[in-house]
Amino acid sequence: MPQTQISSLQSAMASAIRALSMDAVQRANSGHPGMPMGMAEIAVALWTGHLRHNPRNPDWFDRDRFVLSNGHGSMLIYSLLHLSGYDVSVEDLKDFRTLHSKTPGHPERGYTPGVETTTGPLGQGIANAVGMAIAEMMMASEFNRPGHTIVDHFTYAFVGDGCLMEGISHEVCSLAGTLALEKLIVVYDDNGISIDGHVEGWFSDDTPKRFEAYGWNVIPNVDGHDISAVHEAIAKAKLSTGRPTIICCKTVIGKGAPTKAGSHDSHGNPLGAEEIERTRGAIDWPYAAFEIPKDVYDAWSAVQSGSEIEADWNRRFKDYGSVFPKEAAEFERRMKGDLPGNFSQLGKDIVAAAAAQPETIATRKASLNAIESLASALPELVGGSADLAGSNLTMWKAAKPITDREGGNYIYYGVREFGMAAIMNGLLAHGGIRPFGGTYVMFSEYARNAMRMAALMKLGAIYVLTHDSIALGQDGPTHQPVEQIATLRLMPNMDVWRPCDAVETAIAWQTALQHEKTPTVLALSRQNLKPQTRTPEQIARIANGGYVLSDAKGPLAAVVIATGSEVELAIAGQKKLEEQGIYVRVVSLPSTYLFDRQDKAYRHHVLPSGVPRVSIEAGVTDYWRKYVGLEGACVGIDTFGESAAPDVLFEHFKINAESVVAAVQRVIGPSTAKAD
């Protein structure tokens, strides 16, 4: 085909993106047309010249990953998926931003075939992409063999000014440079516009120099509206070794709109019927809304080429399996997300060992003991910590830190809590990896939005959060969590465990790994905790989230609910009350998430109706009102902490057995106490 015809067709392919984007936003009367219109040529260059994918099998393993970090421009990816042949119809585009459609306002993993990760909170998409690139590097190092390469794909991310303004972009891009993620290619849409207008008043960074300082390969000053120039830049980036690449593309937001191009007016609002009609003329697009000519569809379609690419990989994987059958079977298990067949027995063995040899240890140490046993049986288990490995106890004996271009099973994240949590989301979205990451409970505040995204995306991340109360001591209120555990429990689809000893900790780990679609917080103590005595039946009930740990030895006067380090205080209070002839039940409630999902009969068995209740936890008390009611009592702390030794702090804030006794006496009343 003559060059002029190729250019004309490519221009029409870009115009199709612009038309679909402006028409869908207009129909929804909501959305962001400017970015899709401005990145149309960039998308043509990547998706038709480089991206290896199969619309008929969006989850094919060795596909290139594409992340739209500037997810507000979601009509770009929806247009691309529709045009290239994914199960995203014209009707789906017309349903843009409507309830339960395949095309929600921001791209959502699980809603739309071909969307790798949920984006919208700016900066997290590029963080997820870093995680995907790390996963590719780790899996390639583990499974590829000379002459048999089964893991070999790129991760591409589109980012905008907003992504690079967010602090998380610094965290993850710095680490990406350190790890030399050469399969990561980022395309920066440098259009100079954000919601408030021209960004030079608040974003004057020299982006190329910034990324050079991170150790990236930088391709600056690319005309983002020149398809050939973008194509060549991507081809050059793919040849780079030892460094991730950022391609800095100059673009015009809302390109093609006669009066709104280059303006924030096209960023987050429909163009309007009149502007759209004029745009059609400006981009030489004489078609009705949502109408695409056949030659443009044909040019965009990746159905045949994608099927051929996957078929070639399937042949190569079959050859791999014939030479390395054990590795091939392990690879398939990992990519399915299945646990090993012996996992259930392994979990039972770990719990049995903890019960058979009770130790007075911190639950962070009990967690490390569990990790030591689990890691050898779960090669997909990848640990890490935000520069607190020695405090979180996340580094096990056989852990192998990853380095540049070499895999392992441990990531030194550095002081990057937010980046760590978002990278973990990328590891999980990629597949084949089960990550856990550590920091203090207090510093989950830095990571919270990425933790929320894990819950939203139904990704089974595991957060090892230690130093779970004021009992961390002299570091003081800046490091002492008070409200964090309670607020994490309020997050939908987040399982928060606060175990009281090694047995509960082992079961928490077992449950967390079985949660494929629910992230888990393990809130662990710094201080040593006494082991509790249980029957096998009680141990079996721990996985219900809550159970009767020590029942009343006489007429039941009240129920005391406790978690973590305060369980032993509840037991001590129970004994003191028995001396007064008052009999209470102690309930350990390490996971309110799981307890609340038990049937009504079980919940009422553990917490019988009509019986006064008291809670004790070294944190805010309001959360516990859902269990004790307004008439119950809560022993806790509703102020910030202080700097002192742990035992001094517990006495100062009256987190002790005496407070349990006093609280029970209050809720049962003097007449009940006397009658008992």
Side-chain angles (χ1 to χ4, degrees):
M1 185 180 293
Q3 182 65 41
T4 54
Q5 289 180 289
I6 295 174
S7 298
S8 175
L9 184 55
Q10 287 180 326
S11 178
M13 293 166 73
S15 293
I17 293 174
R18 292 191 170 97
L20 289 173
S21 298
M22 68 183 183
D23 288 339
V25 171
Q26 185 67 25
R27 183 182 176 92
N29 196 31
S30 172
H32 301 76
M35 186 279 273
M37 296 175 74
M39 294 195 77
E41 285 85 5
I42 296 172
V44 172
L46 174 61
W47 277 63
T48 65
H50 298 278
L51 194 71
R52 297 169 67 252
H53 62 119
N54 183 5
R56 290 294 179 262
N57 185 8
D59 296 326
W60 162 55
F61 168 73
D62 206 35
R63 68 192 181 278
D64 289 337
R65 270 58 170 182
F66 173 74
V67 175
L68 190 73
S69 188
N70 41 355
H72 55 274
S74 56
M75 269 310 302
L76 176 62
I77 193 168
Y78 299 150
S79 298
L80 290 166
L81 294 170
H82 168 70
L83 291 167
S84 58
Y86 286 78
D87 185 18
V88 179
S89 68
V90 167
E91 293 306 311
D92 292 325
L93 299 185
K94 290 179 180 179
D95 287 341
F96 179 54
R97 287 188 164 228
T98 62
L99 184 65
H100 300 317
S101 76
K102 284 186 182 179
T103 52
H106 289 83
E108 292 190 40
R109 176 181 170 85
Y111 272 69
T112 317
V115 169
E116 302 281 1
T117 184
T118 301
T119 56
L122 292 176
Q124 287 199 61
I126 188 173
N128 297 165
V130 170
M132 293 174 189
I134 292 173
E136 192 276 345
M137 178 184 69
M138 296 172 76
M139 297 284 285
S141 177
E142 182 176 357
F143 287 101
N144 288 347
R145 297 291 185 272
H148 293 274
T149 300
I150 62 168
V151 182
D152 184 17
H153 52 267
F154 285 90
T155 300
Y156 296 96
F158 284 1
V159 304
D161 294 302
C163 292
L164 298 188
M165 282 188 251
E166 288 284 0
I168 190 174
S169 71
H170 165 77
E171 294 184 29
V172 300
C173 292
S174 169
L175 185 60
T178 299
L179 295 179
L181 300 178
E182 62 189 29
K183 293 289 192 68
L184 174 63
I185 298 175
V186 173
V187 181
Y188 168 36
D189 176 34
D190 183 8
N191 62 37
I193 296 292
S194 66
I195 290 176
D196 284 352
H198 293 272
V199 301
E200 64 261 21
W202 49 88
F203 184 56
S204 59
D205 301 16
D206 188 328
T207 298
K209 286 185 178 178
R210 169 185 166 187
F211 277 81
E212 286 174 5
Y214 292 149
W216 285 51
N217 173 42
V218 178
I219 303 177
N221 299 317
V222 176
D223 181 352
H225 300 300
D226 184 333
I227 295 172
S228 296
V230 176
H231 171 79
E232 291 172 7
I234 297 171
K236 183 179 178 182
K238 289 163 69 175
L239 296 174
S240 177
T241 59
R243 293 182 295 172
T245 296
I246 184 169
I247 302 170
C248 302
C249 293
K250 294 288 185 181
T251 65
V252 176
I253 192 171
K255 174 77 170 175
T259 67
K260 295 186 177 182
S263 164
H264 69 279
D265 291 337
S266 68
H267 175 88
N269 296 290
L271 296 181
E274 183 178 346
E275 183 78 356
I276 286 175
E277 195 59 35
R278 294 176 65 189
T279 302
R280 279 187 159 75
I283 65 175
D284 191 23
W285 192 255
Y287 309 104
F290 300 102
E291 180 184 345
I292 306 293
K294 183 178 182 303
D295 63 332
V296 174
Y297 270 129
D298 291 344
W300 267 113
S301 178
V303 172
Q304 182 176 341
S305 61
S307 297
E308 291 171 353
I309 292 170
E310 182 182 355
D312 176 67
W313 183 84
N314 288 336
R315 285 190 294 270
R316 290 188 286 111
F317 184 73
K318 185 177 180 180
D319 292 341
Y320 176 86
S322 66
V323 182
F324 305 103
K326 181 180 177 181
E327 289 82 355
E330 173 67 8
F331 180 85
E332 289 184 312
R333 177 190 72 80
R334 298 264 293 272
M335 293 315 301
K336 289 176 183 176
D338 294 340
L339 290 167
N342 65 342
F343 179 79
S344 179
Q345 186 58 49
L346 173 66
K348 291 177 183 178
D349 292 344
I350 294 171
V351 173
Q357 295 181 320
E359 295 181 272
T360 298
I361 57 173
T363 51
R364 62 172 176 168
K365 179 60 169 65
S367 170
L368 178 59
N369 292 345
I371 293 169
E372 289 283 2
S373 298
L374 290 164
S376 60
L378 294 172
E380 63 265 43
L381 194 63
V382 172
S385 174
D387 203 50
L388 287 169
S391 293
N392 301 146
L393 302 187
T394 50
M395 175 74 80
W396 65 102
K397 292 175 183 175
K400 179 187 176 185
I402 68 170
T403 58
D404 59 331
R405 288 177 288 168
E406 185 178 343
N409 57 12
Y410 193 88
I411 301 173
Y412 284 109
Y413 286 102
V415 188
R416 302 180 177 100
E417 295 89 355
F418 192 3
M420 173 181 70
I423 285 171
M424 287 167 62
N425 290 344
L427 293 169
L428 285 159
H430 177 277
I433 305 290
R434 286 302 304 272
F436 67 88
T439 185
Y440 291 170
V441 171
M442 184 67 243
F443 302 135
S444 66
E445 294 287 356
Y446 286 127
R448 182 175 293 269
N449 200 267
M451 296 171 72
R452 183 178 188 272
M453 293 300 291
L456 180 65
M457 286 193 276
K458 300 181 175 64
L459 298 173
I462 301 173
Y463 310 102
V464 179
L465 305 184
T466 68
H467 296 58
D468 67 340
S469 74
I470 58 172
L472 66 87
Q474 288 94 331
D475 278 339
T478 60
H479 285 52
Q480 294 167 1
V482 174
E483 77 278 17
Q484 282 67 37
I485 293 174
T487 57
L488 286 167
R489 289 181 180 130
L490 295 175
M491 194 177 292
N493 194 39
M494 178 68 74
D495 188 6
V496 178
W497 279 79
R498 190 169 185 250
C500 73
D501 64 4
V503 172
E504 285 191 358
T505 303
I507 291 174
W509 259 107
Q510 182 180 15
T511 304
L513 287 164
Q514 291 169 329
H515 277 335
E516 184 181 353
K517 296 184 178 181
T518 298
T520 301
V521 167
L522 304 178
L524 306 172
S525 73
R526 175 181 180 270
Q527 75 274 30
N528 291 337
L529 306 183
K530 296 177 182 178
Q532 299 299 322
T533 301
R534 303 176 182 85
T535 65
E537 292 75 19
Q538 287 175 309
I539 291 174
R541 290 172 184 152
I542 294 173
N544 292 338
Y547 63 103
V548 179
L549 175 62
S550 179
D551 215 346
K553 293 183 174 63
L556 182 60
V559 175
V560 179
I561 307 167
T563 75
S565 53
E566 288 70 71
V567 167
E568 59 187 66
L569 299 179
I571 295 292
Q574 180 190 46
K575 292 177 180 177
K576 289 178 179 292
L577 287 162
E578 286 174 2
E579 295 170 359
Q580 302 176 24
I582 301 173
Y583 302 102
V584 301
R585 166 183 292 180
V586 173
V587 169
S588 178
L589 201 62
S591 168
T592 60
Y593 175 89
L594 288 176
F595 181 75
D596 290 348
R597 282 156 179 77
Q598 303 306 309
D599 61 44
K600 185 176 181 180
Y602 180 79
R603 287 183 281 115
H604 282 197
H605 164 71
V606 175
L607 300 176
S609 299
V611 179
R613 301 174 187 174
V614 170
S615 69
I616 177 169
E617 184 175 67
V620 291
T621 59
D622 280 357
Y623 177 82
W624 290 103
R625 288 294 167 190
K626 67 181 285 190
Y627 297 103
V628 305
L630 296 177
E631 297 77 20
C634 300
V635 178
I637 172 172
D638 289 312
T639 67
F640 295 115
E642 298 285 351
S643 179
D647 55 344
V648 173
L649 289 171
F650 267 58
E651 289 305 308
H652 173 74
F653 288 107
K654 300 187 185 308
I655 311 293
N656 52 33
E658 288 73 20
S659 291
V660 173
V661 171
V664 169
Q665 290 171 336
R666 287 197 307 273
V667 298
I668 65 175
S671 59
T672 305
K674 185 176 180 180
D676 289 342

